[in-house]
Amino acid sequence: MIEKFNTYKGYPLVRNGNQLYYGYMSDPYVIFIQILETKDENGEQMTSKVRVVQMDTNEPDPLKAFVKNAERECGLYEALDIANVWLEKALKS
């Protein structure tokens, strides 16, 4: 059975609670997004602060796998756009 994932700009996007993984785990890099804060807007919880981390999928030590990271006060769509730029650059190099 083949599992179908949600995608964003052609890459898989997998969410588990406040954590998202963006990219193919078989590629050299993926992006990890952690939702740090949310705020209530009209009865809906909206992302207000995130941590975006570029991870090396070939590094066995999880602490050394973090290549680049940033905390931003932004919504989820802006975080995904940052993730897409980082991933595209990392995979081209």
Side-chain angles (χ1 to χ4, degrees):
M1 179 175 159
I2 297 176
E3 215 172 318
K4 181 124 170 99
F5 293 105
N6 290 322
T7 62
Y8 182 74
K9 296 189 177 182
Y11 294 99
L13 181 64
V14 179
R15 182 173 184 167
N16 182 19
N18 287 341
Q19 300 178 346
L20 295 95
Y21 287 91
Y22 180 62
Y24 291 98
M25 293 307 258
S26 59
D27 283 344
Y29 297 98
V30 295
I31 306 296
F32 169 70
I33 301 172
Q34 182 179 24
I35 298 171
L36 301 174
E37 293 178 10
T38 59
K39 62 183 175 183
D40 186 68
E41 285 188 18
N42 301 323
E44 301 253 347
Q45 288 297 311
M46 303 297 287
T47 301
S48 59
K49 186 174 183 180
V50 297
R51 176 178 293 126
V52 182
V53 179
Q54 179 182 325
M55 297 179 66
D56 181 343
T57 58
N58 295 317
E59 175 58 56
D61 182 348
L63 296 177
K64 292 180 183 175
F66 286 29
V67 175
K68 177 199 265 188
N69 71 66
E71 282 190 20
R72 301 279 169 96
E73 291 195 19
C74 65
L76 192 52
Y77 285 112
E78 187 176 336
L80 286 169
D81 283 340
I82 293 166
N84 184 256
V85 168
W86 285 11
L87 189 59
E88 289 282 331
K89 278 183 153 183
L91 295 176
K92 284 182 183 175
S93 60

